[in-house]
């Protein structure tokens, strides 16, 4: 794979984080999750975290200016020179335009991977999602449960649900996706950089398909 900027598109629960993690490992490039950057900022109590907390917990988008600054800083770092993966950015047309500007400056070609998942499955994945606070392993109480109730198979830590994986926040997040993010599918289709895959399948099979596709890209 050439030195690409990769963007994962898809609704909340489509598997962007899981796939981005696998593809990043396969190619040895950084996986940049804007949601994760924000969650760490909230946990540390920084000014960014304090500003973002309320919006995140309500399932609403953090303002474009804030997100664009975070991404510009991160992809300007040396480890991104050989390519990188964005998971959760861009989420609006304004963010996509900003990213175009950054990539034009850096001369890096863009490839957008769109994970298509049935709405029923999205709900199931989000409602049952639990994460290990120690090692970051993700489970699903229904689809991929841990061996022992609510504790991590690897280190025995008690699993936690994300603050925004509750019914009401999930509804807002899906609405924000439909309203603000889904127009990016057409935006990138028109540029000829969109590659859509069936995200309803086993995560390992999807990752293999993506890695094969990117090796030739
Ligand atoms: P995620 O982990 O990608 O599901 O993101 C969790 C939350 O962080 C979202 O529901 C938003 O509140 C916020 N967030 C993450 N990335 C962005 C972005 N690119 N633009 C606006 N808000 C974002």
């Amino acid at each position: 794979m050439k030195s690409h900027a990769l963007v994962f598109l898809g609704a909340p629960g489509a598997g962007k984080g899981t796939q981005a993690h696998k593809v990043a490992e396969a190619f040895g490039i950084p996986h940049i999750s804007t949601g994760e950057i924000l969650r760490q900022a909230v946990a540390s109590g920084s000014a960014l975290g304090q500003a973002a907390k309320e919006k995140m917990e309500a399932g609403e988008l953090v303002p474009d200016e804030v997100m664009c600054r975070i991404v510009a800083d991160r992809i300007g770092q040396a480890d991104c020179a050989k390519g990188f993966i964005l998971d959760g950015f861009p989420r609006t047309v304004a963010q996509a335009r900003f990213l175009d500007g950054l990539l034009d400056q850096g001369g890096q070609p863009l490839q957008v991977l769109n994970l298509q998942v049935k709405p029923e499955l999205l709900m199931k994945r989000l409602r049952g999602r639990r994460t290990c606070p120690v090692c970051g392993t993700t489970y699903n109480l229904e689809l991929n449960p841990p061996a022992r109730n609510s504790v991590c198979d690897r280190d025995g830590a008690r699993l936690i649900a994300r603050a925004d994986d509750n019914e009401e926040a999930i509804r807002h997040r899906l609405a924000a996706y439909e309203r603000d993010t889904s127009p990016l599918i057409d935006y990138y289709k028109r540029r000829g950089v969109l590659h859509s895959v069936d995200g309803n399948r086993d995560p390992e099979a999807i990752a293999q398909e993506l890695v094969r596709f990117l090796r030739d890209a």
Side-chain angles (χ1 to χ4, degrees):
M1 186 180 72
K2 292 192 218 92
S3 161
H4 266 114
L6 302 179
V7 162
F8 273 88
L9 262 192
K16 298 188 294 295
T18 303
Q19 294 304 323
H21 179 76
K22 290 178 187 291
V23 172
E25 267 194 344
F27 292 108
I29 55 177
H31 167 197
I32 303 166
S33 157
T34 46
E36 200 46 51
I37 292 173
L38 292 173
R39 278 186 289 280
Q40 281 172 10
V42 170
S44 76
S46 68
L48 168 65
Q50 287 174 26
K53 187 171 192 278
E54 216 171 291
K55 292 264 183 226
M56 290 176 76
E57 287 182 356
E60 283 162 13
L61 296 185
V62 172
D64 288 336
E65 311 79 73
V66 176
M67 299 315 302
C68 289
R69 204 167 346 110
I70 291 174
V71 168
D73 282 354
R74 182 62 188 88
I75 70 180
Q77 289 172 26
D79 64 338
C80 292
K82 291 210 170 76
F84 55 87
I85 298 181
L86 286 171
D87 155 18
F89 185 97
R91 259 180 159 96
T92 65
V93 171
Q95 292 179 13
R97 292 207 177 108
F98 181 83
L99 179 64
D100 283 343
L102 288 179
L103 298 178
D104 280 350
Q105 284 168 21
Q108 264 168 327
L110 174 68
Q111 192 74 248
V112 180
L113 306 165
N114 180 33
L115 297 170
Q116 295 177 306
V117 174
K118 290 185 289 200
E120 319 84 85
L121 185 56
L122 293 177
M123 282 309 279
K124 229 184 238 184
R125 283 187 181 165
L126 292 168
R127 277 204 206 114
R129 180 159 63 180
R130 297 289 184 276
T131 309
C132 172
V134 176
C135 69
T137 304
T138 301
Y139 299 86
N140 187 288
L141 298 183
E142 200 175 330
L143 306 166
N144 169 34
R148 280 188 302 139
N149 209 8
S150 294
V151 296
C152 181
D153 292 346
R154 290 195 182 172
D155 50 40
R158 182 148 294 277
L159 303 178
I160 50 171
R162 262 171 55 167
D164 59 354
D165 275 347
N166 61 72
E167 240 7 85
E168 197 180 342
I170 290 173
R171 233 177 317 113
H172 281 112
R173 286 159 65 204
L174 292 171
Y177 170 78
E178 282 306 325
R179 185 185 61 234
D180 299 316
T181 310
S182 66
L184 295 180
I185 294 176
D186 262 355
Y187 180 92
Y188 286 126
K189 210 183 262 173
R190 277 200 300 272
R191 281 173 167 60
V193 293
L194 188 82
H195 179 72
S196 290
V197 294
D198 174 2
N200 298 291
R201 297 167 298 151
D202 166 53
E204 206 44 58
I206 300 170
Q208 280 174 15
E209 180 187 319
L210 288 173
V211 169
R212 257 198 316 273
F213 168 76
L214 291 167
R215 286 231 156 91
D216 299 332

